[in-house]
């Protein structure tokens, strides 16, 4: 029995762990889809701002977003520091997209 | 009219932009809640692994997670490089949690 348990552990076939991992995989799929949708919207925002001659970055808006997500994180028992790191990570990627877009436009023009 | 439009732009009260931002804010709230739930599960995994004497890290599992999320990202038209950076960012935080947990246990013992 002990040898079997050790084997199950080594093979990663532990049923409890497998159950947790299915939940994690489902959540990760949802996160990736949500991020994909978020970037679809920020791409539309980038195009709209360029047409409307609005500045690409808005530091006040970013500060409000960070504060709001810290509060939501606290309510959900998530470390607000991590929440802030996460949204900064995403915003950085959005800025990188905008820069790539602007560079492509400049090249085309 | 032009002065009004300029004012609306400066005040960030542009209706189109406000609509996009409401969608982004909704998605961000969902992302934070999903991340909170993900960390609830990885915390349970950490405790379970400690009890079952399983190693805290599993590089094969991580590699499979990264590959799967890259495929999901491609299907959702999200940059797979970003998807990989994102999941590595989350896994790093999970490892940080486990280390903090282990340090607290060592101190308590």
């Amino acid at each position: 029995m002990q040898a079997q348990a050790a084997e199950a552990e080594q093979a990663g076939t532990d049923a409890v762990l497998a159950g947790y991992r299915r939940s994690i995989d489902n959540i990760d799929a949802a996160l990736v889809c949500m991020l994909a949708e978020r970037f679809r919207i920020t791409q539309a925002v980038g195009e709209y701002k360029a047409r409307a001659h609005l500045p690409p970055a808005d530091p006040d808006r970013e500060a409000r977003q960070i504060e709001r997500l810290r509060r939501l994180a606290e309510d959900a028992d998530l470390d607000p520091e991590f929440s802030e790191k996460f949204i900064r990570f995403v915003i950085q990627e959005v800025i990188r997209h905008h820069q790539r877009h602007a560079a492509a436009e400049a090249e085309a023009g």
Side-chain angles (χ1 to χ4, degrees), chain A:
Chain A
M1 265 309 272
Q2 263 202 340
Q4 241 180 17
E7 205 177 283
E9 276 175 26
Q10 277 181 4
T13 52
D14 184 300
V16 176
L17 193 56
Y20 283 136
R21 286 178 168 178
R22 271 195 296 273
S23 291
I24 290 169
D25 287 346
N26 284 343
I27 289 173
D28 284 347
L31 286 167
V32 162
C33 288
M34 288 267 175
L35 284 167
E37 184 57 23
R38 194 187 194 282
F39 283 111
R40 278 172 53 80
I41 301 171
T42 51
Q43 192 175 335
V45 168
E47 286 162 13
Y48 176 74
K49 281 184 166 181
R51 275 200 311 276
H53 304 291
L54 289 166
D58 185 340
D60 285 349
R61 154 85 176 151
E62 282 175 30
R64 284 194 304 273
Q65 280 175 290
I66 288 165
E67 261 323 296
R68 174 176 173 266
L69 290 183
R70 287 185 69 104
R71 283 198 308 274
L72 288 176
E74 274 177 43
D75 287 346
D77 214 15
L78 177 70
D79 179 5
E81 289 299 315
F82 175 74
S83 161
E84 178 165 347
K85 272 200 300 188
F86 166 72
I87 190 65
R88 286 191 191 280
F89 173 80
V90 171
I91 290 172
Q92 259 182 357
E93 182 72 12
V94 170
I95 292 168
R96 222 166 56 82
H97 283 204
H98 287 342
Q99 284 167 343
R100 211 159 46 190
H101 188 76
E105 289 257 310
E107 211 165 282

